[in-house]
Amino acid sequence: MVNTVEQAEQAVRWTKFPPMGVRGQGSSFCAMASGISTSEYVNVAYATILTIVQIETPEAVANADAIAAVPGVDALFIGPNDLALDLLGYVPARWDEPEFPDALDQVQQACKRRGKYAGILTKGGAHANELSKDWPLVGLGSDVKTLQNATKAVVTTARGA
């Protein structure tokens, strides 16, 4: 999560290889697993790893355009419930409060102006389908909920229900 340009710049430094950032290449395991040399891996990673910053507060929404302008930031991603908690004082977001869609629109417009991806976490498959018309990046819901639903299905099948 970032709220300011300075925090976004720090995120870029931590996630990008030099010269843009300070990320170390670590070991050669990633390169070996990919079947390429370490120098090739660094070049591929530099060109393909996205730096996605989370926008989850009214301060971040107000700074969205400046955050999106930071070189190396590839996408702004909204955590809707965290944003709702800070913006509205409760969760989950209902998505129909006037302040909430206004905040979402501010982030989308900042991304469009700056040529960045806009992303958002959704409530599940149908919601993801609906939002994918306007959002290039959609999270399908939480990993915990997905695992919980899958486990319930397996248990239901195992019980013969």
Side-chain angles (χ1 to χ4, degrees), residues 3-93:
N3 289 309
T4 66
V5 166
E6 294 77 22
Q7 291 171 343
E9 290 170 340
Q10 188 64 54
V12 170
R13 283 192 293 276
W14 290 334
T15 58
K16 302 290 187 187
F17 290 114
M20 185 172 277
V22 296
R23 176 181 173 168
Q25 67 89 24
S27 70
S28 59
F29 292 130
C30 291
M32 288 188 305
S34 301
I36 58 179
S37 71
T38 302
S39 62
E40 288 172 310
Y41 171 76
V42 169
N43 289 332
V44 169
Y46 192 79
T48 60
I49 291 176
L50 298 177
T51 298
I52 302 172
V53 296
Q54 286 193 247
I55 304 297
E56 298 185 333
T57 67
E59 180 183 10
V61 170
N63 291 327
D65 191 66
I67 291 169
V70 171
V73 168
D74 300 299
L76 277 59
F77 192 91
I78 295 176
N81 284 334
D82 288 323
L83 179 59
L85 185 59
D86 205 345
L87 181 67
L88 306 168
Y90 59 84
V91 292

Coordinates of all heavy atoms in Angstrom, one line a residue, residues 3-93:
N3 N 0.7 5.7 -0.2 CA -0.2 6.9 0.0 C 0.4 8.1 -0.8 O -0.3 9.0 -1.0 CB -0.4 7.2 1.4 CG -1.3 6.2 2.2 OD1 -2.4 6.0 1.7 ND2 -0.8 5.7 3.3
T4 N 1.7 8.0 -1.0 CA 2.4 9.2 -1.5 C 3.3 8.8 -2.7 O 3.7 7.7 -2.9 CB 3.3 9.8 -0.4 OG1 4.3 8.9 -0.1 CG2 2.4 10.2 0.8
V5 N 3.8 9.9 -3.4 CA 4.7 9.7 -4.4 C 6.0 9.1 -3.9 O 6.6 8.2 -4.5 CB 5.0 11.0 -5.1 CG1 6.3 10.9 -6.0 CG2 3.8 11.5 -6.0
E6 N 6.5 9.5 -2.7 CA 7.7 9.0 -2.2 C 7.6 7.6 -1.9 O 8.6 6.8 -2.1 CB 8.0 9.8 -0.9 CG 8.4 11.3 -1.1 CD 7.1 12.2 -1.4 OE1 6.0 11.8 -1.0 OE2 7.3 13.2 -2.0
Q7 N 6.5 7.1 -1.3 CA 6.3 5.7 -1.1 C 6.3 4.9 -2.4 O 6.8 3.8 -2.5 CB 5.0 5.4 -0.3 CG 5.1 6.0 1.1 CD 3.8 5.9 1.9 OE1 2.7 5.8 1.3 NE2 3.8 6.0 3.2
A8 N 5.6 5.4 -3.4 CA 5.6 4.7 -4.7 C 7.0 4.7 -5.3 O 7.4 3.6 -5.9 CB 4.7 5.5 -5.7
E9 N 7.8 5.7 -5.2 CA 9.2 5.7 -5.6 C 10.0 4.6 -4.9 O 10.8 3.9 -5.5 CB 9.8 7.1 -5.5 CG 9.3 8.1 -6.4 CD 9.7 9.5 -6.1 OE1 10.1 9.8 -5.0 OE2 9.6 10.4 -7.0
Q10 N 9.8 4.5 -3.6 CA 10.5 3.5 -2.8 C 10.1 2.1 -3.3 O 10.9 1.2 -3.4 CB 10.2 3.7 -1.3 CG 11.0 2.8 -0.4 CD 12.5 3.1 -0.5 OE1 12.9 4.2 -0.3 NE2 13.3 2.1 -0.8
A11 N 8.8 1.9 -3.5 CA 8.3 0.6 -4.0 C 9.0 0.2 -5.4 O 9.4 -0.9 -5.6 CB 6.8 0.6 -4.2
V12 N 9.2 1.2 -6.2 CA 9.9 1.0 -7.5 C 11.3 0.6 -7.2 O 11.8 -0.4 -7.8 CB 9.8 2.2 -8.4 CG1 10.7 2.0 -9.6 CG2 8.3 2.4 -8.9
R13 N 12.0 1.3 -6.3 CA 13.4 1.0 -6.0 C 13.5 -0.5 -5.5 O 14.5 -1.2 -5.8 CB 14.0 1.9 -5.0 CG 14.3 3.3 -5.6 CD 15.1 4.2 -4.7 NE 14.4 4.6 -3.5 CZ 13.6 5.7 -3.5 NH1 13.4 6.4 -4.6 NH2 13.0 6.0 -2.4
W14 N 12.6 -0.9 -4.7 CA 12.6 -2.3 -4.1 C 12.3 -3.4 -5.1 O 12.7 -4.5 -4.9 CB 11.7 -2.4 -2.9 CG 12.2 -1.6 -1.7 CD1 13.5 -1.2 -1.4 CD2 11.4 -1.1 -0.7 NE1 13.5 -0.5 -0.2 CE2 12.2 -0.4 0.2 CE3 10.0 -1.1 -0.4 CZ2 11.7 0.2 1.4 CZ3 9.5 -0.5 0.7 CH2 10.4 0.2 1.6
T15 N 11.5 -3.1 -6.2 CA 11.0 -4.1 -7.1 C 11.7 -4.2 -8.4 O 11.6 -5.1 -9.1 CB 9.5 -4.0 -7.3 OG1 9.3 -2.7 -7.9 CG2 8.7 -4.1 -6.0
K16 N 12.5 -3.2 -8.7 CA 13.2 -3.1 -10.0 C 14.7 -3.4 -9.9 O 15.3 -2.9 -8.9 CB 13.0 -1.8 -10.7 CG 11.5 -1.4 -11.0 CD 10.8 -2.2 -12.0 CE 9.4 -1.7 -12.3 NZ 8.7 -2.5 -13.2
F17 N 15.2 -4.0 -10.9 CA 16.7 -4.2 -10.9 C 17.3 -2.9 -11.3 O 16.7 -2.0 -11.9 CB 17.1 -5.3 -12.0 CG 16.7 -6.7 -11.6 CD1 15.7 -7.4 -12.3 CD2 17.3 -7.3 -10.5 CE1 15.4 -8.6 -11.9 CE2 16.9 -8.6 -10.1 CZ 16.0 -9.3 -10.8
P18 N 18.6 -2.7 -11.0 CA 19.3 -1.5 -11.5 C 19.3 -1.4 -13.0 O 19.2 -2.5 -13.7 CB 20.8 -1.7 -11.0 CG 20.6 -2.7 -9.8 CD 19.5 -3.5 -10.2
P19 N 19.2 -0.3 -13.6 CA 19.5 1.0 -13.0 C 18.3 1.7 -12.3 O 18.4 2.7 -11.6 CB 20.0 1.9 -14.2 CG 19.2 1.3 -15.3 CD 19.1 -0.2 -15.0
M20 N 17.1 1.2 -12.6 CA 15.9 1.9 -12.0 C 15.7 1.6 -10.5 O 15.3 2.5 -9.8 CB 14.6 1.4 -12.7 CG 13.4 2.1 -12.3 SD 11.9 1.8 -13.3 CE 12.2 2.9 -14.6
G21 N 16.1 0.4 -10.1 CA 15.9 0.1 -8.7 C 17.2 -0.5 -8.0 O 18.3 -0.4 -8.6
V22 N 17.0 -1.1 -6.9 CA 18.1 -1.7 -6.1 C 17.9 -3.2 -5.8 O 18.6 -3.8 -5.0 CB 18.3 -0.9 -4.8 CG1 18.7 0.5 -5.0 CG2 17.0 -1.0 -3.9
R23 N 16.9 -3.8 -6.5 CA 16.6 -5.2 -6.3 C 17.8 -6.0 -6.7 O 18.4 -5.8 -7.7 CB 15.4 -5.6 -7.1 CG 15.1 -7.0 -7.0 CD 13.9 -7.4 -7.9 NE 13.7 -8.8 -7.9 CZ 12.7 -9.4 -8.4 NH1 11.7 -8.7 -9.0 NH2 12.6 -10.7 -8.4
G24 N 18.2 -6.9 -5.8 CA 19.3 -7.8 -6.1 C 18.8 -9.0 -6.9 O 17.7 -9.4 -6.8
Q25 N 19.7 -9.6 -7.7 CA 19.3 -10.8 -8.5 C 19.3 -12.0 -7.6 O 18.7 -13.0 -8.0 CB 20.1 -10.9 -9.7 CG 21.6 -11.3 -9.5 CD 21.8 -12.8 -9.4 OE1 21.1 -13.6 -9.9 NE2 22.9 -13.1 -8.7
G26 N 19.8 -11.9 -6.4 CA 19.8 -13.0 -5.5 C 20.7 -14.2 -5.9 O 21.9 -14.1 -5.7
S27 N 20.1 -15.2 -6.4 CA 20.9 -16.3 -6.8 C 20.5 -16.7 -8.3 O 19.7 -16.0 -8.9 CB 20.6 -17.5 -5.9 OG 19.3 -18.0 -6.2
S28 N 21.1 -17.7 -8.8 CA 20.8 -18.1 -10.2 C 19.7 -19.0 -10.3 O 19.4 -19.5 -11.4 CB 22.1 -18.7 -10.8 OG 22.5 -19.8 -10.0
F29 N 19.0 -19.3 -9.2 CA 17.9 -20.3 -9.2 C 16.8 -20.0 -10.2 O 16.3 -20.8 -11.0 CB 17.3 -20.5 -7.9 CG 18.2 -21.2 -6.9 CD1 18.4 -20.7 -5.6 CD2 18.9 -22.4 -7.2 CE1 19.3 -21.3 -4.7 CE2 19.7 -23.0 -6.4 CZ 19.9 -22.5 -5.1
C30 N 16.4 -18.7 -10.3 CA 15.3 -18.3 -11.2 C 15.8 -18.5 -12.7 O 15.0 -19.0 -13.5 CB 14.9 -16.8 -11.0 SG 14.1 -16.6 -9.4
A31 N 17.0 -18.1 -12.9 CA 17.5 -18.3 -14.3 C 17.6 -19.8 -14.6 O 17.2 -20.2 -15.7 CB 18.9 -17.7 -14.4
M32 N 18.2 -20.6 -13.7 CA 18.3 -22.0 -14.0 C 16.9 -22.7 -14.2 O 16.7 -23.5 -15.1 CB 19.0 -22.7 -12.8 CG 20.5 -22.4 -12.8 SD 21.4 -23.4 -11.6 CE 20.5 -23.1 -10.1
A33 N 15.9 -22.3 -13.4 CA 14.6 -22.8 -13.5 C 13.9 -22.4 -14.9 O 13.1 -23.2 -15.4 CB 13.7 -22.4 -12.4
S34 N 14.4 -21.3 -15.4 CA 13.8 -20.8 -16.7 C 14.7 -21.3 -17.9 O 14.3 -21.1 -19.0 CB 13.8 -19.3 -16.7 OG 13.0 -18.8 -15.6
G35 N 15.8 -22.0 -17.6 CA 16.7 -22.5 -18.6 C 17.4 -21.4 -19.4 O 17.7 -21.6 -20.6
I36 N 17.7 -20.3 -18.7 CA 18.4 -19.2 -19.3 C 19.6 -18.8 -18.4 O 19.6 -19.2 -17.2 CB 17.5 -18.0 -19.7 CG1 16.8 -17.5 -18.4 CG2 16.5 -18.4 -20.7 CD1 15.9 -16.2 -18.6
S37 N 20.5 -17.9 -18.9 CA 21.6 -17.4 -18.1 C 21.0 -16.4 -17.1 O 20.0 -15.8 -17.3 CB 22.7 -16.8 -19.0 OG 22.2 -15.6 -19.5
T38 N 21.8 -16.1 -16.1 CA 21.5 -15.1 -15.1 C 21.3 -13.8 -15.7 O 20.3 -13.1 -15.4 CB 22.5 -15.1 -13.9 OG1 22.6 -16.4 -13.4 CG2 22.1 -14.1 -12.9
S39 N 22.2 -13.4 -16.6 CA 22.1 -12.1 -17.2 C 20.8 -12.0 -18.1 O 20.2 -11.0 -18.2 CB 23.3 -11.7 -18.0 OG 23.5 -12.6 -19.1
E40 N 20.5 -13.1 -18.8 CA 19.3 -13.1 -19.6 C 18.0 -13.0 -18.6 O 17.1 -12.3 -19.0 CB 19.1 -14.4 -20.4 CG 20.1 -14.5 -21.6 CD 20.0 -15.9 -22.2 OE1 20.2 -16.9 -21.5 OE2 19.9 -15.9 -23.4
Y41 N 18.1 -13.7 -17.5 CA 17.0 -13.6 -16.6 C 16.7 -12.2 -16.1 O 15.6 -11.7 -16.0 CB 17.2 -14.6 -15.4 CG 16.1 -14.3 -14.3 CD1 14.8 -14.8 -14.5 CD2 16.4 -13.5 -13.2 CE1 13.8 -14.5 -13.6 CE2 15.4 -13.3 -12.3 CZ 14.1 -13.7 -12.5 OH 13.1 -13.4 -11.6
V42 N 17.8 -11.5 -15.7 CA 17.7 -10.2 -15.2 C 17.1 -9.3 -16.3 O 16.2 -8.5 -16.0 CB 19.1 -9.6 -14.8 CG1 19.0 -8.1 -14.5 CG2 19.5 -10.3 -13.5
N43 N 17.5 -9.4 -17.6 CA 16.9 -8.6 -18.6 C 15.4 -9.0 -18.8 O 14.6 -8.1 -19.0 CB 17.7 -8.9 -19.9 CG 19.0 -8.2 -19.9 OD1 19.2 -7.2 -19.2 ND2 20.0 -8.8 -20.6
V44 N 15.1 -10.2 -18.8 CA 13.7 -10.6 -19.0 C 12.8 -10.1 -17.8 O 11.7 -9.6 -18.0 CB 13.5 -12.2 -19.1 CG1 12.1 -12.6 -19.0 CG2 14.1 -12.6 -20.4
A45 N 13.4 -10.3 -16.6 CA 12.6 -9.9 -15.4 C 12.4 -8.3 -15.4 O 11.4 -7.8 -15.1 CB 13.4 -10.3 -14.1
Y46 N 13.5 -7.6 -15.8 CA 13.4 -6.2 -15.9 C 12.3 -5.7 -16.8 O 11.6 -4.8 -16.6 CB 14.8 -5.6 -16.3 CG 14.8 -4.1 -16.1 CD1 15.1 -3.6 -14.8 CD2 14.7 -3.2 -17.2 CE1 15.2 -2.2 -14.7 CE2 14.8 -1.9 -17.0 CZ 15.0 -1.3 -15.7 OH 15.1 0.0 -15.6
A47 N 12.1 -6.5 -17.9 CA 11.2 -6.1 -18.9 C 9.8 -6.6 -18.6 O 8.8 -6.1 -19.2 CB 11.6 -6.6 -20.3
T48 N 9.6 -7.6 -17.7 CA 8.3 -8.2 -17.6 C 7.7 -8.1 -16.2 O 6.5 -8.3 -16.1 CB 8.4 -9.7 -18.0 OG1 9.3 -10.4 -17.2 CG2 8.7 -9.8 -19.5
I49 N 8.5 -7.9 -15.2 CA 7.9 -7.9 -13.8 C 7.2 -6.5 -13.6 O 7.8 -5.5 -13.8 CB 9.0 -8.1 -12.7 CG1 9.5 -9.6 -12.8 CG2 8.5 -7.8 -11.3 CD1 10.6 -9.9 -11.9
L50 N 6.0 -6.6 -13.2 CA 5.2 -5.4 -13.0 C 5.3 -4.9 -11.5 O 5.3 -5.7 -10.6 CB 3.7 -5.6 -13.3 CG 3.3 -6.0 -14.7 CD1 1.8 -6.3 -14.8 CD2 3.7 -5.0 -15.7
T51 N 5.4 -3.6 -11.3 CA 5.3 -3.0 -10.0 C 3.9 -2.5 -9.9 O 3.5 -1.5 -10.6 CB 6.4 -1.9 -9.8 OG1 7.7 -2.5 -10.0 CG2 6.3 -1.3 -8.5
I52 N 3.2 -3.1 -9.0 CA 1.8 -2.8 -8.8 C 1.6 -2.2 -7.4 O 1.9 -2.9 -6.4 CB 0.8 -4.0 -9.0 CG1 1.0 -4.5 -10.4 CG2 -0.6 -3.6 -8.7 CD1 0.3 -5.9 -10.6
V53 N 1.2 -1.0 -7.2 CA 1.0 -0.4 -5.9 C -0.4 -0.4 -5.5 O -1.3 -0.2 -6.4 CB 1.6 1.0 -5.8 CG1 3.1 1.0 -6.0 CG2 1.0 2.0 -6.8
Q54 N -0.7 -0.6 -4.2 CA -2.1 -0.7 -3.8 C -2.5 0.7 -3.3 O -1.8 1.4 -2.6 CB -2.2 -1.7 -2.7 CG -2.2 -3.1 -3.2 CD -2.6 -4.2 -2.2 OE1 -1.8 -4.9 -1.7 NE2 -3.9 -4.1 -1.8
I55 N -3.8 1.0 -3.7 CA -4.4 2.3 -3.3 C -5.5 1.9 -2.4 O -6.5 1.4 -2.8 CB -4.9 3.0 -4.6 CG1 -3.8 3.2 -5.6 CG2 -5.6 4.3 -4.2 CD1 -2.6 4.1 -5.1
E56 N -5.4 2.3 -1.1 CA -6.4 1.8 -0.1 C -6.8 2.9 0.9 O -7.4 2.5 1.9 CB -5.8 0.6 0.6 CG -5.6 -0.6 -0.3 CD -5.1 -1.8 0.4 OE1 -4.6 -1.7 1.5 OE2 -5.4 -2.9 -0.2
T57 N -6.4 4.1 0.6 CA -6.8 5.2 1.5 C -7.2 6.4 0.7 O -6.9 6.6 -0.4 CB -5.6 5.6 2.4 OG1 -4.6 6.2 1.6 CG2 -5.0 4.4 3.2
P58 N -8.0 7.3 1.4 CA -8.4 8.6 0.7 C -7.1 9.4 0.3 O -7.1 10.0 -0.7 CB -9.2 9.3 1.7 CG -9.8 8.2 2.6 CD -8.7 7.2 2.6
E59 N -6.1 9.3 1.1 CA -4.9 10.0 0.8 C -4.3 9.5 -0.5 O -3.9 10.3 -1.4 CB -3.8 9.9 1.9 CG -2.5 10.6 1.6 CD -1.5 10.4 2.7 OE1 -1.6 9.6 3.6 OE2 -0.4 11.1 2.6
A60 N -4.3 8.2 -0.7 CA -3.7 7.6 -1.9 C -4.6 7.9 -3.1 O -4.1 8.2 -4.2 CB -3.6 6.1 -1.7
V61 N -5.9 7.9 -2.9 CA -6.8 8.3 -4.0 C -6.5 9.8 -4.4 O -6.4 10.1 -5.6 CB -8.3 8.1 -3.6 CG1 -9.2 8.8 -4.6 CG2 -8.6 6.7 -3.4
A62 N -6.4 10.7 -3.5 CA -6.1 12.1 -3.8 C -4.8 12.2 -4.5 O -4.6 13.1 -5.3 CB -6.1 12.9 -2.5
N63 N -3.8 11.3 -4.2 CA -2.5 11.4 -4.9 C -2.4 10.4 -6.1 O -1.3 10.2 -6.6 CB -1.4 11.0 -3.9 CG -1.3 12.1 -2.8 OD1 -1.4 13.2 -3.1 ND2 -0.9 11.6 -1.6
A64 N -3.5 9.8 -6.5 CA -3.4 8.8 -7.5 C -2.7 9.2 -8.8 O -1.9 8.5 -9.4 CB -4.8 8.2 -7.8
D65 N -3.0 10.4 -9.3 CA -2.4 10.9 -10.5 C -0.9 11.0 -10.4 O -0.2 10.6 -11.2 CB -3.0 12.3 -10.9 CG -2.6 12.6 -12.3 OD1 -3.0 11.9 -13.3 OD2 -1.9 13.6 -12.5
A66 N -0.5 11.6 -9.3 CA 1.0 11.7 -9.0 C 1.7 10.4 -8.9 O 2.8 10.2 -9.3 CB 1.2 12.6 -7.8
I67 N 1.0 9.5 -8.2 CA 1.5 8.1 -8.0 C 1.6 7.4 -9.3 O 2.6 6.8 -9.6 CB 0.7 7.3 -7.0 CG1 0.8 7.9 -5.6 CG2 1.0 5.8 -7.0 CD1 -0.2 7.4 -4.5
A68 N 0.6 7.5 -10.1 CA 0.6 6.9 -11.5 C 1.7 7.5 -12.4 O 2.2 6.8 -13.3 CB -0.8 7.0 -12.1
A69 N 2.1 8.7 -12.1 CA 3.2 9.3 -12.9 C 4.6 8.9 -12.6 O 5.5 9.2 -13.3 CB 3.1 10.9 -12.8
V70 N 4.7 8.1 -11.5 CA 6.1 7.7 -11.0 C 6.6 6.7 -12.1 O 6.0 5.7 -12.3 CB 6.0 7.1 -9.6 CG1 7.3 6.4 -9.3 CG2 5.6 8.1 -8.6
P71 N 7.8 7.0 -12.6 CA 8.4 6.0 -13.5 C 8.6 4.7 -12.8 O 9.1 4.6 -11.7 CB 9.7 6.7 -13.9 CG 9.5 8.1 -13.7 CD 8.6 8.2 -12.5
G72 N 8.2 3.6 -13.5 CA 8.4 2.3 -12.9 C 7.2 1.7 -12.2 O 7.1 0.5 -12.0
V73 N 6.2 2.6 -11.9 CA 4.9 2.1 -11.4 C 4.1 1.7 -12.6 O 3.9 2.4 -13.5 CB 4.2 3.2 -10.6 CG1 2.7 2.8 -10.4 CG2 4.9 3.4 -9.3
D74 N 3.8 0.4 -12.6 CA 3.1 -0.1 -13.8 C 1.5 -0.2 -13.6 O 0.8 -0.1 -14.6 CB 3.5 -1.6 -14.1 CG 5.0 -1.6 -14.4 OD1 5.5 -1.0 -15.4 OD2 5.8 -2.2 -13.6
A75 N 1.1 -0.2 -12.4 CA -0.4 -0.3 -12.2 C -0.7 0.2 -10.8 O 0.1 0.1 -9.8 CB -0.8 -1.8 -12.3
L76 N -1.9 0.7 -10.6 CA -2.5 1.0 -9.4 C -3.6 0.0 -9.1 O -4.5 -0.2 -10.0 CB -3.1 2.4 -9.4 CG -2.1 3.6 -9.1 CD1 -1.0 3.6 -10.1 CD2 -2.8 4.9 -9.1
F77 N -3.6 -0.6 -7.9 CA -4.6 -1.7 -7.6 C -5.3 -1.3 -6.4 O -4.7 -1.0 -5.3 CB -3.8 -3.0 -7.4 CG -4.7 -4.2 -7.4 CD1 -5.1 -4.9 -8.6 CD2 -5.3 -4.7 -6.2 CE1 -5.9 -6.0 -8.6 CE2 -6.1 -5.8 -6.2 CZ -6.4 -6.4 -7.3
I78 N -6.7 -1.3 -6.4 CA -7.5 -1.0 -5.3 C -7.9 -2.2 -4.5 O -8.4 -3.1 -5.1 CB -8.7 -0.2 -5.8 CG1 -8.3 1.1 -6.4 CG2 -9.7 0.0 -4.6 CD1 -9.5 1.9 -7.0
G79 N -7.7 -2.1 -3.2 CA -8.2 -3.0 -2.2 C -9.5 -2.4 -1.8 O -9.5 -1.5 -0.9
P80 N -10.7 -2.8 -2.3 CA -11.9 -2.1 -2.0 C -12.4 -2.1 -0.6 O -12.9 -1.0 -0.1 CB -13.0 -2.8 -2.9 CG -12.4 -4.1 -3.3 CD -10.9 -3.9 -3.2
N81 N -12.2 -3.2 0.2 CA -12.6 -3.1 1.5 C -11.7 -2.3 2.4 O -12.2 -1.6 3.3 CB -12.8 -4.5 2.1 CG -14.0 -5.2 1.6 OD1 -15.0 -4.5 1.2 ND2 -14.0 -6.5 1.5
D82 N -10.4 -2.3 2.2 CA -9.5 -1.4 2.9 C -9.8 0.0 2.6 O -9.9 0.9 3.5 CB -8.1 -1.8 2.6 CG -7.6 -3.1 3.3 OD1 -8.1 -3.4 4.4 OD2 -6.9 -3.8 2.6
L83 N -10.1 0.3 1.3 CA -10.5 1.7 1.0 C -11.8 2.1 1.6 O -11.9 3.2 2.2 CB -10.5 1.8 -0.6 CG -11.0 3.2 -1.1 CD1 -10.0 4.3 -0.6 CD2 -11.1 3.2 -2.6
A84 N -12.8 1.2 1.6 CA -14.1 1.5 2.2 C -13.9 1.7 3.7 O -14.5 2.6 4.3 CB -15.0 0.3 2.0
L85 N -13.1 0.9 4.4 CA -12.9 1.1 5.8 C -12.4 2.4 6.1 O -12.9 3.1 7.0 CB -12.0 0.0 6.4 CG -11.9 0.0 7.9 CD1 -13.2 -0.2 8.6 CD2 -10.9 -1.2 8.3
D86 N -11.4 2.9 5.4 CA -10.8 4.2 5.6 C -11.7 5.3 5.1 O -11.8 6.3 5.8 CB -9.4 4.2 5.0 CG -8.5 5.2 5.6 OD1 -8.9 6.1 6.4 OD2 -7.3 5.2 5.3
L87 N -12.3 5.1 4.0 CA -13.1 6.2 3.4 C -14.5 6.3 4.0 O -15.0 7.4 4.3 CB -13.3 5.9 1.9 CG -14.1 6.9 1.1 CD1 -13.3 8.2 1.0 CD2 -14.3 6.3 -0.3
L88 N -15.1 5.2 4.3 CA -16.5 5.2 4.8 C -16.6 4.8 6.2 O -17.7 5.0 6.8 CB -17.3 4.2 3.9 CG -17.3 4.4 2.4 CD1 -17.9 3.3 1.7 CD2 -17.9 5.7 2.0
G89 N -15.6 4.2 6.8 CA -15.7 3.8 8.2 C -16.3 2.4 8.4 O -16.6 2.0 9.6
Y90 N -16.5 1.6 7.4 CA -17.1 0.3 7.5 C -16.7 -0.6 6.4 O -16.3 -0.1 5.3 CB -18.6 0.3 7.7 CG -19.3 0.9 6.5 CD1 -19.7 0.2 5.4 CD2 -19.7 2.3 6.5 CE1 -20.3 0.8 4.3 CE2 -20.4 2.8 5.5 CZ -20.7 2.1 4.4 OH -21.4 2.7 3.3
V91 N -16.8 -1.9 6.6 CA -16.7 -2.9 5.5 C -17.8 -3.9 5.7 O -18.3 -4.1 6.8 CB -15.3 -3.6 5.6 CG1 -14.2 -2.7 5.2 CG2 -15.1 -4.2 6.9
P92 N -18.1 -4.7 4.7 CA -17.6 -4.5 3.3 C -18.2 -3.3 2.6 O -19.3 -2.8 3.0 CB -18.0 -5.8 2.6 CG -19.3 -6.2 3.3 CD -19.1 -5.8 4.7
A93 N -17.5 -2.9 1.6 CA -18.1 -1.8 0.7 C -19.4 -2.3 0.1 O -19.5 -3.4 -0.3 CB -17.1 -1.4 -0.4

